[in-house]
Amino acid sequence: MMDQLIEKIKQTQNPTVVGLDPRLSFIPTFLKEECYAQLGKTPQAAAEAFYRFNCAIIDAVYDLVPAVKPQVAMYEMLGSAGIESYIRTIQYAKQKGLIVIGDVKRGDIASTAENYSDGHIGRVAVEEERFEIYKEDFITVNPYLGYDSIEPYFANVSTYNKGLFVLVKTSNPHSGQLQNLDVGGHTLYEHVGQLVETWGEPYRGKYGYSDIGAVVGATHPQEAKKLRQEMPHTFFLVPGYGAQGGTAEDLAVCFDKDGLGAIVNSSRGIIAAHQKEPYRSAFPEKEFALAAREAVLAMKTDLRRCI
Amino acid sequence: MMDQLIEKIKQTQNPTVVGLDPRLSFIPTFLKEECYAQLGKTPQAAAEAFYRFNCAIIDAVYDLVPAVKPQVAMYEMLGSAGIESYIRTIQYAKQKGLIVIGDVKRGDIASTAENYSDGHIGRVAVEEERFEIYKEDFITVNPYLGYDSIEPYFANVSTYNKGLFVLVKTSNPHSGQLQNLDVGGHTLYEHVGQLVETWGEPYRGKYGYSDIGAVVGATHPQEAKKLRQEMPHTFFLVPGYGAQGGTAEDLAVCFDKDGLGAIVNSSRGIIAAHQKEPYRSAFPEKEFALAAREAVLAMKTDLRRCI
């Protein structure tokens, strides 16, 4: 699946992934009111509002970006209606030709990881029937439990042409508390990076990158630069651009000499663009998704200036 | 909430938590067939079978144990119907007076962790309304992202009398790959253990234990013994007993001199007891839950022999 992601990036000339992390505070009042009128002020209404909001964003950006990345927490928070909204969002994005990265950050012992793997990127067996449940193309996973917590995803990666992004160096302020500890001449995140590079070896595609990628935050440019050198076959999913403080200059180091090797996430910078200038003045509330489109174009220009 | 867990352990004289990790292969044919007849061989039927199976197990053990621990992966795998089954299972267990530990192992940046926190152990706001969604008493969380990924749970721990178990040393075969790395004279898991002990300080209850507990696997007795000394105010959730190879002798070190300080999980050893001798011969399939009850009593005897 990494080959397909790279081809979509080449085709759109835009290494941007739109983070579909909806919050009620991002959603225009008219859209929320429609859902409340139908379903009351309930989690079900919030989940429906998330879905409609996402569809409008997807409609406005699907020709400009290769991928979207829904963050499951926002949906999971709403219970089963939220999970339904997450699944419908994935389905809609895929219908529009987008690659979907499910930001689930799961990590558990092998027998449990198999369940996450089958549910998200594989098939779930109910007797002789097989069901595709979530249908993400990629998911993010957490490495704290070690190899046997990651290995259960590999069979589905191969069988169903899927991919992973393993957390290596995250974008949050305290990411260094464990990840930057010295584990014998290098940091824990470099150690994890080396493991991911090795784990990914059997899954390399025609561009030299493995289906097993890594999450490397844009907020740590020196660290990302070193990781880019140490992990030449590992594609990076780069969070932290924009609202979290990472700039295009910061994350340029995540790319290889061909301008490949990374995809940069922006969530609220795009999906909540209509709430901020210059977009707020330029677009009436009903056209919030056009603000997202403009924000994607601005991000594309900003990224291409630096890579 | 740790005080309540300790009181339930004292009352039942049994530091056992029953892992509600259903698999279709554990569920008696008659029960699955009932659900397939109603809903077809579908994820919905599997989710319903999980719920009915869990209810029967809960009915058979609720007077013997302080708590149950559903593993969300088995439910999440089935999509929204699975999440509904997870939520109904929690509700049923709480109606029976059991404490519920949601084994979700979430870990994400602060703004996202807030969503997990509100959904699982807090309240979710939809305009001026507040909803309790999952209603676990405790959840498990992953520390790889550092303090700011854990801190968002603390407000709900205080406000709603809840608790956490932070992964410190897990029970799986490769847990040492990262967790046992030397980070300057001690292991990464010991470092995490120290952090958890410190983070938990403001949340200590009348028995001296904090609402912020730790996951410490039964499969590493020497390591657990040292952690027990280094984390005197941190209650342990101990996986790995039984099917994963941990014995009562192994995990005795997780307890303090008063026989408190830990709760031991068993999942398939209890809920799938009816499939194994001596229970398989002793109970007809319809009475599978009585096998679970016998297995709980046997585990209680085994644990109390050693602590």
Side-chain angles (χ1 to χ4, degrees), chain B:
Chain B
M1 183 48 70
M2 204 60 85
D3 283 350
Q4 280 90 321
L5 179 61
I6 291 168
E7 277 151 21
K8 284 282 285 181
I9 292 171
K10 285 166 170 268
Q11 178 201 320
T12 56
Q13 288 288 301
N14 190 7
T16 294
V17 53
V18 176
L20 296 176
D21 308 4
R23 296 175 184 279
L24 284 173
S25 60
F26 295 168
I27 299 182
T29 307
F30 80 91
L31 200 160
K32 286 189 281 198
E33 292 298 334
E34 282 172 18
C35 298
Y36 296 152
Q38 264 185 283
L39 297 159
K41 288 179 181 171
T42 60
Q44 290 70 28
E48 179 63 25
F50 284 5
Y51 175 67
R52 294 186 194 177
F53 179 76
N54 289 341
C55 289
I57 299 283
I58 290 167
D59 285 343
V61 305
Y62 76 92
D63 58 326
L64 300 178
V65 296
V68 290
K69 181 176 75 64
Q71 164 54 259
V72 75
M74 282 81 198
Y75 308 86
E76 180 175 317
M77 176 180 74
L78 299 171
S80 56
I83 293 295
E84 200 58 39
S85 170
Y86 178 76
I87 292 172
R88 289 167 69 207
T89 294
I90 292 167
Q91 196 164 14
Y92 191 79
K94 293 183 73 161
Q95 279 168 15
K96 291 285 180 172
L98 290 162
I99 288 172
V100 177
I101 303 169
D103 198 354
V104 301
K105 296 190 178 69
R106 301 307 189 231
D108 216 307
I109 66 169
S111 56
T112 302
E114 275 174 26
N115 293 105
Y116 282 130
S117 179
D118 289 348
H120 286 281
I121 59 170
R123 301 287 186 276
V124 172
V126 180
E127 307 304 327
E128 65 279 10
E129 310 290 335
R130 295 285 176 282
F131 297 87
E132 259 192 286
I133 306 289
Y134 291 90
K135 305 185 193 172
E136 297 102 326
D137 297 304
F138 292 86
I139 57 169
T140 56
V141 293
N142 183 309
Y144 187 69
L145 276 73
Y147 177 72
D148 58 347
S149 71
I150 305 293
E151 191 270 340
Y153 297 94
F154 294 163
N156 286 326
V157 164
S158 289
T159 306
Y160 300 112
N161 186 26
K162 302 283 185 172
L164 299 179
F165 288 100
V166 184
L167 301 185
V168 170
K169 175 66 184 168
T170 57
S171 58
N172 57 310
H174 291 82
S175 71
Q177 188 171 36
L178 303 188
Q179 295 163 26
N180 285 30
L181 289 173
D182 187 313
V183 296
H186 55 270
T187 60
L188 176 61
Y189 73 77
E190 283 181 282
H191 186 83
V192 175
Q194 277 307 312
L195 291 172
V196 173
E197 176 79 7
T198 308
W199 295 340
E201 205 178 315
Y203 308 101
R204 288 181 193 162
K206 61 183 173 187
Y207 300 100
Y209 285 106
S210 172
D211 288 324
I212 315 302
V215 173
V216 176
T219 48
H220 316 285
Q222 288 314 310
E223 299 168 349
K225 185 178 181 180
K226 198 148 173 248
L227 285 175
R228 179 69 289 154
Q229 290 161 359
E230 292 170 352
M231 305 173 70
H233 306 95
T234 306
F235 207 89
F236 290 175
L237 169 62
V238 182
Y241 173 84
Q244 286 183 54
T247 67
E249 285 79 4
D250 289 338
L251 56 79
V253 296
C254 294
F255 291 84
D256 65 21
K257 62 179 171 32
D258 302 319
L260 294 174
I263 187 161
V264 181
N265 181 73
S266 177
S267 299
R268 82 195 83 167
I270 294 172
I271 67 173
H274 62 282
Q275 298 182 328
K276 279 187 313 195
E277 297 303 344
Y279 309 109
R280 185 166 50 187
S281 305
F283 296 97
E285 199 185 39
K286 289 263 181 194
E287 290 175 8
F288 68 96
L290 292 180
R293 184 176 177 87
E294 286 304 311
V296 165
L297 289 167
M299 179 170 168
K300 178 178 178 176
T301 305
D302 188 38
L303 291 183
R304 292 183 59 79
R305 187 172 54 79
C306 296
I307 59 176

Side-chain angles (χ1 to χ4, degrees), chain A residues 207-218:
Chain A
Y207 300 100
Y209 285 105
S210 172
D211 287 323
I212 315 303
V215 173
V216 176

